[in-house]
Amino acid sequence: MAQPDIGLLTGQQRSNWIRLRTMILLRWVAIVGQLVALTVAQRLYGLQLELGLCYLAVGVSVIGNLIAIFIFPENKRLNEFQNLLMVLFDVLQLGFLLFLTGGLNNPFALLLLGPVTISAAVLTTRSTLLVGATAIVIVTILSDYHLPLRTQDGFILRIPDLFVFGNWIALVIAICFIGLYSRRVTSEIHSMSDALSATQLALSREQKLTDLGGVVAAAAHELGTPLATIKLTSAELIEELDDRPELKEDAALIRQQADRCRDILRDMGRAGKDDLHLRQAPLMTVVQEAAEPHTHRGKLVQYTHDPDAGDEIDQPAILRQPEIIHGLRNLVQNAVDFARSTVWIEAHWTNTQITIRIMDDGLGFPPQLLGRIGDPFVRRRKSSTERTQRPEYEGMGLGLFIAKTLLERSGAELTFTNGADPYAAREQHDNHIGAIVEVVWPRKKVDARSGENAVSMGRNEQIRA
């Protein structure tokens, strides 16, 4: 299966999600806070500040906001470069205010962490590094160069040099750590969001295909009667038009086309079947249906099952849920992509569990990634040997995540191992096994003849009757 197109969800586009009005609002909050701090420092504590320069710095922010409000529309969204300029401006403006008000002796120096955190959350790594480096440079300059804070009596307020150095170290570490922390967590959230969106797209497509099968089956059923009437009428016309060969030929053509429509609907109906068959099917039928798109790609796919498992001779009928079919299809695709020549699909069942194991004779999962398999966007750069063996393989690391998410939604538990696993050593073809994926359902979750599933099927029979 081709991976869903989620190009619009990549991190390079996320900075375009932020509206200019949001940044303007945040800047108004910062402006109000700065004005309050200046007023309190002067009037309440009697500090002697360079008010002209301080209000100039705040006024530049006010003018910038007013220009942005009047020039740009309300729904304006900033691109990556524009967002970077906005954040850099805030860092430089705040750094200038701190220069005028004591440098690192001013406890508000901590506010330099704000723009760095914002850039780590919404901008690219390169932009985040630029903002972080700018903040570190500003902090370093402020540690030595700044206007002193003076009281009304001319006394200079300053903390010991050791504490200034400690503040500098703390701010540099905080800029690096908080920037990295915010970047990592935000990236993880975005990756999971993108992968879940791709999973939802894949499931939606599978659901539409299933619904389309039902529509086809219903159309075949409803059109059967009028086509039979057309065929019967045309046959009677053929018998009555022996003396008019040109009309007899037209009637024969009508009957021929009616037969053709019947054959087309019959073929389409095989895919759709009836409503009940869309809801359930024997276990191996569902497995083969899921694997069918990848059985003609030059690799041998072998199916085996264990009819003697438990107390049951016949294989169970399971629900034909889109999650199950699409999830198994992704697992089979992954096995076929990485197999040398053969893929084995085994089904086992007991009175309490249904198990499907998908194995291949490839190189197996990279040992260092076994613990992360199923996470979104986890993939390994191909070696030259792998590139030669699988030149067609290009992925985003979403296939196994989609399969795992969909199958777990149906109630399954997945285990990823390699052929060297002790559990795999019991297999008769253990020398050929590469990767092993085991999917285990509690039988009551997917068995169409047990519990709530059986009740649901019974209601469907009554509706169709």
Side-chain angles (χ1 to χ4, degrees):
M1 183 204 75
Q3 299 292 1
D5 183 8
I6 58 170
L8 295 178
L9 302 178
T10 59
Q12 296 175 347
Q13 299 292 332
R14 285 197 177 87
S15 58
N16 295 346
W17 294 359
I18 301 175
R19 292 188 307 144
L20 175 61
R21 288 306 171 98
T22 300
M23 300 298 289
I24 291 175
L25 177 61
L26 293 176
R27 185 172 289 171
W28 281 128
V29 173
I31 289 172
V32 171
Q34 292 169 1
L35 291 175
V36 170
L38 291 174
T39 301
V40 170
Q42 180 193 16
R43 297 184 178 275
L44 184 61
Y45 294 102
L47 298 181
Q48 298 182 17
L49 303 174
E50 295 290 340
L51 291 179
L53 293 177
C54 290
Y55 287 128
L56 174 63
V58 178
V60 171
S61 292
V62 173
I63 293 173
N65 267 7
L66 293 176
I67 292 175
I69 290 174
F70 287 109
I71 290 181
F72 296 102
E74 291 188 15
N75 60 351
K76 166 69 177 177
R77 295 187 182 275
L78 301 177
N79 58 32
E80 171 72 19
F81 181 69
Q82 292 169 338
N83 266 313
L84 174 61
L85 291 181
M86 292 281 287
V87 175
L88 280 177
F89 174 83
D90 292 336
V91 171
L92 294 173
Q93 190 259 359
L94 181 58
F96 181 62
L97 271 179
L98 291 172
F99 171 79
L100 298 174
T101 56
L104 296 190
N105 295 287
N106 190 332
F108 288 104
L110 186 66
L111 293 177
L112 284 170
L113 297 177
V116 176
T117 304
I118 293 176
S119 66
V122 301
L123 301 181
T124 61
T125 302
R126 183 174 60 181
S127 299
T128 301
L129 291 175
L130 178 58
V131 174
T134 303
I136 291 175
V137 170
I138 291 175
V139 169
T140 303
I141 293 175
L142 292 177
S143 64
D144 289 325
Y145 303 99
H146 55 268
L147 298 182
L149 283 175
R150 295 181 181 273
T151 63
Q152 194 171 8
D153 299 329
F155 180 74
I156 297 178
L157 297 177
R158 57 176 299 175
I159 60 177
D161 292 341
L162 179 62
F163 287 103
V164 172
F165 177 74
N167 285 342
W168 176 78
I169 288 291
L171 284 172
V172 171
I173 293 176
I175 289 171
C176 296
F177 176 76
I178 293 179
L180 178 62
Y181 183 90
S182 300
R183 183 69 184 172
R184 181 65 179 176
V185 171
T186 304
S187 177
E188 190 82 12
I189 293 173
H190 288 166
S191 295
M192 183 62 68
S193 176
D194 292 347
L196 289 175
S197 297
T199 303
Q200 198 62 41
L201 289 173
L203 180 59
S204 176
R205 185 181 69 172
E206 191 68 28
Q207 184 65 58
K208 288 179 180 179
L209 291 175
T210 301
D211 295 341
L212 182 60
V215 172
V216 169
H221 175 73
E222 296 296 334
L223 292 176
T225 300
L227 285 175
T229 303
I230 292 173
K231 182 178 179 181
L232 178 62
T233 304
S234 61
E236 293 177 352
L237 288 174
I238 290 174
E239 295 177 358
E240 296 177 1
L241 295 174
D242 289 336
D243 56 339
R244 304 182 66 179
E246 67 282 358
L247 295 180
K248 181 178 180 180
E249 183 178 344
D250 292 340
L253 179 61
I254 292 175
R255 183 175 66 176
Q256 179 185 355
Q257 295 303 312
D259 289 337
R260 183 182 177 189
C261 290
R262 179 200 62 194
D263 295 338
I264 292 174
L265 288 173
R266 181 182 300 165
D267 292 339
M268 295 173 68
R270 288 197 189 108
K273 301 179 183 178
D274 63 9
D275 187 56
L276 287 180
H277 288 144
L278 282 172
R279 293 176 178 269
Q280 65 172 332
L283 174 62
M284 292 307 298
T285 300
V286 175
V287 172
Q288 292 173 7
E289 178 184 351
E292 194 276 334
H294 305 291
T295 55
H296 306 292
R297 295 175 52 196
K299 308 292 177 64
L300 177 62
V301 180
Q302 295 184 356
Y303 305 92
T304 59
H305 60 91
D306 183 8
D308 298 325
D311 299 327
E312 189 174 26
I313 297 178
D314 297 328
Q315 60 181 293
I318 67 172
L319 299 175
R320 294 184 70 256
Q321 296 177 353
E323 293 93 335
I324 295 176
I325 295 175
H326 201 82
L328 292 177
R329 184 168 296 162
N330 275 18
L331 294 180
V332 174
Q333 178 193 10
N334 189 74
V336 171
D337 283 338
F338 289 89
R340 292 188 178 95
S341 62
T342 309
V343 173
W344 295 275
I345 303 178
E346 295 184 351
H348 305 269
W349 58 87
T350 65
N351 291 332
T352 59
Q353 286 186 337
I354 293 177
T355 304
I356 294 176
R357 302 178 71 206
I358 300 173
M359 301 163 284
D360 63 73
D361 60 351
L363 298 177
F365 296 116
Q368 69 274 17
L369 295 182
L370 269 177
R372 298 183 57 201
I373 291 176
D375 288 347
F377 304 104
V378 173
R379 57 177 179 171
R380 179 182 58 157
R381 184 181 297 275
K382 295 187 294 185
S383 65
S384 58
T385 302
E386 291 175 316
R387 194 175 294 110
T388 302
Q389 292 176 343
R390 299 183 299 277
E392 78 287 353
Y393 180 76
E394 290 292 339
M396 297 178 63
L398 279 177
L400 289 177
F401 171 80
I402 291 175
K404 185 172 183 289
T405 302
L406 293 178
L407 291 172
E408 286 179 346
R409 180 180 295 185
S410 70
E413 291 186 4
L414 277 71
T415 304
F416 300 91
T417 57
N418 286 323
D421 188 87
Y423 181 73
R426 301 199 300 266
E427 303 299 327
Q428 59 183 357
H429 39 257
D430 57 344
N431 293 330
H432 304 286
I433 293 179
I436 303 173
V437 181
E438 184 176 71
V439 187
V440 181
W441 289 274
R443 182 156 179 167
K444 63 181 181 180
K445 291 285 188 179
V446 294
D447 194 333
R449 300 168 185 166
S450 66
E452 297 179 358
N453 300 329
V455 173
S456 175
M457 298 302 299
R459 288 177 181 171
N460 188 58
E461 290 174 357
Q462 294 175 4
I463 293 174
R464 291 184 61 82

Coordinates of all heavy atoms in Angstrom, one line a residue, residues 15 21 37 51 53 63 71 115 119 154 166 180 200 209-210 219 278 287-288 312 315 326 375 393 403 417 424 438:
S15 N 4.9 26.2 11.0 CA 5.1 27.6 11.3 C 4.0 28.5 10.6 O 3.7 29.6 11.0 CB 6.5 28.1 10.9 OG 6.7 27.9 9.6
R21 N -2.2 37.7 14.1 CA -2.9 38.3 15.2 C -2.5 37.6 16.6 O -2.6 38.2 17.6 CB -4.4 38.2 15.0 CG -4.9 39.1 13.9 CD -4.5 40.5 14.2 NE -4.7 41.5 13.1 CZ -5.8 42.3 13.0 NH1 -6.7 42.2 14.0 NH2 -5.9 43.1 12.0
A37 N 6.1 47.2 34.7 CA 7.3 47.0 35.4 C 8.1 48.3 35.5 O 8.7 48.6 36.6 CB 8.2 45.9 34.8
L51 N 14.4 56.5 31.3 CA 13.1 56.3 30.9 C 12.9 56.6 29.4 O 12.1 56.0 28.7 CB 12.1 57.2 31.8 CG 12.0 56.8 33.2 CD1 11.1 57.7 34.0 CD2 11.5 55.3 33.3
L53 N 15.0 56.1 26.9 CA 15.4 54.9 26.1 C 14.5 53.7 26.3 O 14.1 53.0 25.4 CB 16.8 54.6 26.4 CG 17.9 55.6 26.0 CD1 19.3 55.2 26.4 CD2 17.8 55.8 24.4
I63 N 4.7 50.4 17.9 CA 4.6 50.9 16.5 C 4.5 49.6 15.6 O 3.8 49.6 14.6 CB 5.8 51.8 16.1 CG1 5.6 53.1 16.9 CG2 5.8 52.0 14.6 CD1 6.9 54.0 16.7
I71 N -1.8 47.0 8.3 CA -1.4 46.6 6.9 C -1.9 45.2 6.6 O -2.3 44.9 5.4 CB 0.2 46.6 6.9 CG1 0.7 48.1 6.9 CG2 0.7 45.9 5.6 CD1 2.2 48.2 6.8
P115 N 10.9 33.6 24.3 CA 11.1 33.5 22.8 C 11.8 32.2 22.4 O 11.5 31.6 21.3 CB 11.9 34.7 22.4 CG 11.6 35.7 23.5 CD 11.5 34.9 24.7
S119 N 10.1 29.5 19.8 CA 10.8 29.1 18.6 C 11.0 27.6 18.5 O 10.9 27.0 17.5 CB 12.2 29.8 18.4 OG 13.0 29.4 19.5
G154 N 21.0 57.4 44.7 CA 22.2 57.2 43.9 C 23.0 55.9 44.2 O 24.0 55.6 43.7
G166 N 26.7 33.0 38.2 CA 25.8 31.9 38.4 C 24.5 32.1 37.5 O 24.0 31.2 36.9
L180 N 15.9 22.5 23.9 CA 15.9 21.1 23.5 C 14.7 20.3 24.0 O 14.2 19.5 23.2 CB 17.2 20.4 24.0 CG 17.5 19.0 23.7 CD1 17.5 18.7 22.2 CD2 18.7 18.4 24.4
Q200 N -5.8 7.4 10.1 CA -7.2 7.7 9.9 C -7.5 7.8 8.4 O -8.6 7.3 7.9 CB -7.6 9.0 10.5 CG -9.1 9.2 10.8 CD -9.6 8.2 11.7 OE1 -9.0 7.8 12.7 NE2 -10.8 7.7 11.4
L209 N -13.9 1.5 0.6 CA -13.9 0.3 -0.3 C -14.9 -0.7 0.2 O -15.6 -1.4 -0.6 CB -12.5 -0.3 -0.3 CG -11.4 0.6 -1.0 CD1 -10.1 0.0 -0.9 CD2 -11.8 0.8 -2.5
T210 N -15.0 -0.9 1.5 CA -15.9 -1.9 2.0 C -17.4 -1.5 1.7 O -18.2 -2.3 1.3 CB -15.7 -2.1 3.5 OG1 -14.4 -2.5 3.8 CG2 -16.7 -3.1 4.1
A219 N -26.7 -3.2 -5.8 CA -27.0 -2.8 -7.2 C -27.2 -4.1 -8.1 O -28.2 -4.2 -8.9 CB -25.9 -2.0 -7.8
L278 N -20.2 -9.3 3.9 CA -19.3 -8.1 4.1 C -18.9 -8.0 5.6 O -17.9 -7.4 5.9 CB -20.0 -6.9 3.6 CG -20.0 -6.6 2.1 CD1 -20.9 -5.4 1.8 CD2 -18.6 -6.4 1.6
V287 N -7.6 -13.4 5.8 CA -6.1 -13.3 5.7 C -5.7 -13.2 4.3 O -4.9 -12.4 3.9 CB -5.5 -14.5 6.4 CG1 -4.0 -14.5 6.1 CG2 -5.7 -14.4 7.9
Q288 N -6.3 -14.1 3.4 CA -5.9 -14.1 2.0 C -6.4 -12.8 1.3 O -5.7 -12.3 0.4 CB -6.5 -15.3 1.3 CG -5.9 -16.6 1.8 CD -6.6 -17.8 1.2 OE1 -7.5 -17.7 0.4 NE2 -6.2 -19.0 1.7
E312 N -12.1 -27.2 18.2 CA -12.9 -26.9 17.0 C -12.2 -27.4 15.7 O -11.0 -27.3 15.6 CB -13.1 -25.4 16.9 CG -14.1 -25.0 15.8 CD -14.4 -23.5 15.9 OE1 -13.5 -22.7 16.3 OE2 -15.4 -23.0 15.4
Q315 N -12.4 -23.7 10.9 CA -11.8 -22.4 11.3 C -12.9 -21.4 11.7 O -14.0 -21.5 11.2 CB -11.0 -21.9 10.2 CG -11.7 -21.7 8.9 CD -10.8 -21.2 7.8 OE1 -10.3 -20.1 7.9 NE2 -10.6 -22.0 6.8
H326 N -6.9 -3.9 6.7 CA -5.9 -3.0 6.4 C -4.6 -3.2 7.2 O -3.5 -3.0 6.7 CB -6.4 -1.6 6.5 CG -5.7 -0.5 5.7 ND1 -5.9 -0.3 4.4 CD2 -4.6 0.3 6.1 CE1 -5.0 0.6 4.0 NE2 -4.3 1.0 5.0
D375 N 6.5 2.6 16.4 CA 6.5 4.1 16.6 C 6.4 4.7 15.3 O 7.0 4.2 14.3 CB 7.7 4.5 17.4 CG 7.7 4.1 18.9 OD1 6.6 3.7 19.3 OD2 8.7 4.2 19.5
Y393 N 11.6 -0.1 -2.7 CA 11.1 0.2 -1.4 C 11.4 1.6 -1.0 O 12.6 2.0 -0.9 CB 11.7 -0.8 -0.3 CG 11.2 -0.5 1.0 CD1 9.9 -0.8 1.4 CD2 12.0 0.2 2.0 CE1 9.4 -0.6 2.7 CE2 11.5 0.5 3.2 CZ 10.2 0.1 3.6 OH 9.7 0.4 4.8
A403 N -0.3 -0.2 10.8 CA -0.8 -1.6 11.1 C -1.0 -1.8 12.6 O -2.0 -2.4 13.0 CB 0.2 -2.6 10.5
T417 N 9.5 -9.8 16.6 CA 10.7 -10.5 16.9 C 11.4 -10.9 15.7 O 11.0 -10.7 14.6 CB 10.4 -11.8 17.8 OG1 9.5 -12.6 17.0 CG2 9.8 -11.4 19.1
A424 N 10.6 -18.9 18.0 CA 10.6 -19.2 16.6 C 11.4 -20.4 16.3 O 11.3 -21.0 15.2 CB 11.2 -18.0 15.8
E438 N 3.7 -11.3 15.3 CA 2.6 -12.1 15.8 C 1.5 -11.2 16.3 O 1.7 -10.3 17.0 CB 3.1 -13.0 17.0 CG 2.0 -13.9 17.5 CD 2.6 -14.8 18.6 OE1 2.8 -14.3 19.7 OE2 2.7 -16.0 18.4

